[in-house]
Amino acid sequence: MWFRKMIVILAKLAMKCLPQKWVDILKDSPYLLAMYTKNIHHSGILYQLPTIAEAQKQYDKYLTFQDKRLQKYVTANMGLSPLNIVICVDSSDEKLFKRTLDSINDSRHYGHIIVWSSSEIQSVLTSVSNSFTELSIDFISELNSAFLSSEQLEAPCFIVFSGDVISSSLGHSLAANILQITKVAYVDTDILPLDKSKRTQPDFKPDWNPDLQLTNGYIRSGVWISSLRTFSNTSPELHAFCIVRFLSEQYLRHNIKDIVHIPLVLVSRATVELSMNEGRAYLSEVLSKHAELVDSTEAVFHLRWPLKNLPLVSLIIPTRNGMELVKSCIDSILQKTTYSNYEILLVDNGSDDDDCLRYFSTLDEHPQIRVLEYKEPFNYSAINNFAAKHARGDVLALVNNDIEVISADWLSDMVSQVMRSDIGCVGAKLLYSSNRIQHAGVVMGYGGGAGHAHKYFPADHQGYMNRLIATQNYSAVTAACLLVSKEDFWAVGGLNEQDLAIAFNDVDFCLKVLELGKRNLYCAEAVLYHHESVSRGAEDTIDKQLRFNKELAYLQQRWGHIIDMDPAYNPNLTQNRENFAIKELH
């Protein structure tokens, strides 16, 4: 791997030294492009994150950029109503409490302050609050306390934790971004340790991502709510509040459009908190009414949703020859998969290898396997549509012939997700043979079209904000291993075989499923190998390059609005690499 890495590094240095005209000529060579891409893949060089110093430099640039944007809000929103603040206190640390009060005092737009803390520590904090005589502060131990008036309970408020520092532009930013229908809004956060003056480690969050909240609780502070009365669960943890709100009967029935994400860093926290331990006992009880908490780490929850029955899953595997790949794929499914109610449809697209044909004949005798013949020229979309018409299952699984099972419960986990009424397509965590990430959700905008989140990261990496190990919603997932109900498959007309024969058909398909009002989902617990494009080869001819560019153009024309602003990503993150680094600002 080190040799390949050196080749890539030298190639990158050479490209910087050459005139741009020469660089463009080299990029037009399909062979050179394919060779360069292959070496990048094996070297893992695209995974390399910026150093701590580089990342900090980029974030400093971002903060300068944000300050200019916030100043525009301040200029445009001078007549603001005072903002009510709720401070949740779970520690008697007076320094943390004072820091939050200082930031509120400096903000110029504060209203009533409600401090939610246990009665045991209220007396400790009272002495601190007495030094802020200009602030209207009340202590309560329950938000439904009779101490609060009906007017206070019905008023909107902004909720933070003791130790959080609030931006002086918070009120202006909320006024500029909150809509009339907004019930909940949340902001991005970063870290400002007590003993330091430099802000660092921003959490650039996606737009409302219900399943990421369920498994990772990514919204933890800096939440605006339209009515304080709704914040009445028995746990003061904000990630628990957002989970309970989503799981409520009202929000299971309706599409959620009233939760707004403001992609500005408006709250600085004292410490890094990406753990599901806070409020764990309460959350476990709440979640148990909806899903089984199969396993969990300190960082994330693993949920398996209940199944009324075990639906038949039709695994569609297209191939042309490739006996070793197909054998490895099917053997791993038959030998390792714990979920038993499935059939395999092996679609033979014109194989001409005698050994393969004999092997396929033996497979056709297996009670769970059928071999279908598709004699037309290779068209990935058409092949899968053809097989879907022959599928007996209520669930379709699109599976590449270069897939190999790693986690035995992969199908159980994916089926439990796809059978939820609000979920459309479900994708798996796929690894290259080198144990680097091949797929962990698709992000729109990478390379001007779409790419794979955390591509080339080590398999055991937690990812940005734990997003490699947490099941969550993405706009799209790859069809190298994708589950969808047969009903949803045909509701959008299957895969687009006219415009997208080879590339981006899965992305286009997933985005059409989104238009049904469903959410697509990356299932982090379902782990498989994907020995990508071993059978088809690289895009190393002029014809293949022309076809790819034509399909990319179609994707950009059809889905340009999502390519420009993927709700599962963040506009402050780069689209040049798949590593969640901060966007370059010039």
Side-chain angles (χ1 to χ4, degrees), residues 382-397:
I383 291 172
N384 280 282
N385 290 342
F386 164 79
K389 294 173 184 176
H390 292 78
R392 296 168 182 160
D394 292 326
V395 175
L396 304 179

Side-chain angles (χ1 to χ4, degrees), residues 315-320 347 349 374 376-388 397-403 430 477-483 489 494-507 509 530 533 535-536 547 551:
L315 305 175
I316 297 171
I317 307 175
T319 193
R320 171 179 165 84
V347 189
N349 183 207
Y374 183 82
E376 302 298 322
F378 179 77
N379 179 319
Y380 181 83
S381 297
I383 291 172
N384 280 282
N385 290 342
F386 164 79
L398 310 186
V399 180
N400 277 20
N401 67 348
D402 47 6
I403 289 292
L430 302 180
V477 292
T478 181
C481 184
L482 180 154
L483 264 64
F489 184 87
L495 301 182
N496 185 343
E497 54 191 82
Q498 283 76 38
D499 303 296
L500 301 171
I502 312 295
F504 301 119
N505 39 52
D506 47 0
V507 176
F509 174 77
H530 181 203
S533 298
S535 55
R536 279 198 57 244
R547 187 264 309 153
E551 292 174 335

Side-chain angles (χ1 to χ4, degrees), residues 403-415:
I403 289 292
E404 184 180 343
V405 174
I406 297 175
S407 61
D409 289 336
W410 71 281
L411 195 52
S412 300
D413 285 318
M414 295 180 76
V415 171

Side-chain angles (χ1 to χ4, degrees), residues 456-467:
Y456 305 118
F457 273 53
D460 58 356
H461 202 289
Q462 291 190 330
Y464 184 73
M465 291 176 57
N466 291 330
R467 292 189 68 174

